[in-house]
Amino acid sequence: MLSRIILFFVFCFFMFGCSAKKSPDNTEQTDSTQVIIAPVDSMTIDLVAWKEKGYFNQTQPVKVANDPVFHQAKSYQGIALRTVLERLPSFKNVDLNTTQVVFECEDGYNPSMSLEKTLSKQVFLAVKDMDAPKGADWTTIVKGPETKKIAPFYVVYTDAPADDYSYKWPYNLVKIRLTPVSAEAQVLFPHDDDTMVKGYD
C-alpha cells in the first residue's frame, strides 16, 4: 500500500512539475523553447482599419491645381496628414528631423521621405475623389494595358510642385509607418547635385 502511495506522488510530480510556466518578462517558457510575445507597433497606421473606426469622417475639400498622377486639376475630400499622424499617441515624441515616413501601398510600392519635408507643405490624406464617376468614390486610370487603382487612399499636396519628384504622391495607399532615418540613407543621399537627387528618388 505504501509503495502505491509513493508511486502516485512521483507520478504527480512529473506530470505537473514540468509543465510550461509563464515568466514575469512577458515570455512563455517550456522545457525546450521560449515563445516571445511581440510588442504592438505604435508607429504604424492601418488606414483601412482606421476608416472603419470612423477616424476619417470629418474631412474637408482639397483642391490640387496640377495633380501629377492625373495631369490635371483635381478635387478631393481629405484630412490633413498631420492630423492623421497626431492620432498616434507616440507622435508627440517624434523628432521630425530624424524620422522618415514610409507609405505602404496595396500593390507593394513603399516610397518614403523625410517626415520634416513631408509636413513642411500642405499635405493631405485624400479619402475620396470628388471627380469620380457617379456612385464611385475613386477614379481608376486606364492607359492602354495599364490600370492605376487610386483607392483606397492617396496623399496629395496643395502647394508642392507637381514636377518636384522629391515629394511623394503615393496612391493605392493602405498603411503609413514612421521609422528612424538610417545613417546609410543620410550618407547615400546626394545633397549637392539636383540631377543626382532626381536619380536617387
Side-chain angles (χ1 to χ4, degrees):
M1 183 68 179
L2 180 60
S3 61
R4 289 184 179 180
I5 294 174
I6 293 172
L7 287 173
F8 174 77
F9 280 107
V10 170
F11 174 79
C12 290
F13 173 80
F14 281 102
M15 285 296 294
F16 300 105
C18 298
S19 61
K21 296 179 180 180
K22 184 110 178 218
S23 66
D25 62 351
N26 205 32
T27 64
E28 288 183 354
Q29 296 181 339
T30 67
D31 55 347
S32 60
T33 61
Q34 265 195 349
V35 180
I36 300 174
I37 301 173
V40 175
D41 184 355
S42 62
M43 300 301 284
T44 298
I45 299 172
D46 185 330
L47 297 173
V48 176
W50 279 28
K51 182 179 181 180
E52 291 174 354
K53 291 179 181 178
Y55 288 176
F56 306 141
N57 289 343
Q58 300 296 321
T59 61
Q60 66 184 81
V62 178
K63 293 187 178 297
V64 178
N66 182 18
D67 189 299
V69 174
F70 289 90
H71 304 289
Q72 64 184 51
K74 290 288 294 178
S75 297
Y76 302 99
Q77 283 293 322
I79 181 170
L81 185 61
R82 180 181 286 273
T83 300
V84 175
L85 296 175
E86 285 175 348
R87 280 190 171 273
L88 289 169
S90 52
F91 182 74
K92 61 181 178 293
N93 299 319
V94 168
D95 183 349
L96 301 186
N97 296 307
T98 60
T99 304
Q100 67 178 353
V101 55
V102 181
F103 301 106
E104 298 187 11
C105 303
E106 194 175 52
D107 61 4
Y109 180 50
N110 296 334
S112 63
M113 64 181 293
S114 160
L115 181 59
E116 181 182 35
K117 183 168 185 173
T118 304
L119 297 181
S120 70
K121 297 293 185 181
Q122 297 297 313
V123 56
F124 296 86
L125 178 70
V127 302
K128 185 176 182 179
D129 181 356
M130 300 306 293
D131 304 317
K134 187 176 181 180
D137 287 342
W138 288 96
T139 301
T140 298
I141 302 175
V142 179
K143 292 184 178 180
E146 183 183 10
T147 299
K148 292 182 180 180
K149 179 186 174 186
I150 309 301
F153 300 96
Y154 177 27
V155 171
V156 302
Y157 305 81
T158 58
D159 59 347
D163 59 353
D164 186 342
Y165 300 109
S166 64
Y167 289 95
K168 311 304 180 185
W169 297 66
Y171 52 85
N172 193 213
L173 185 64
V174 291
K175 289 183 180 181
I176 296 175
R177 179 164 45 92
L178 301 182
T179 63
V181 176
S182 67
E184 292 82 0
Q186 293 182 20
V187 171
L188 290 172
F189 192 86
H191 297 277
D192 301 323
D193 189 312
D194 292 340
T195 302
M196 292 182 68
V197 166
K198 290 182 179 180
Y200 179 91
D201 289 338

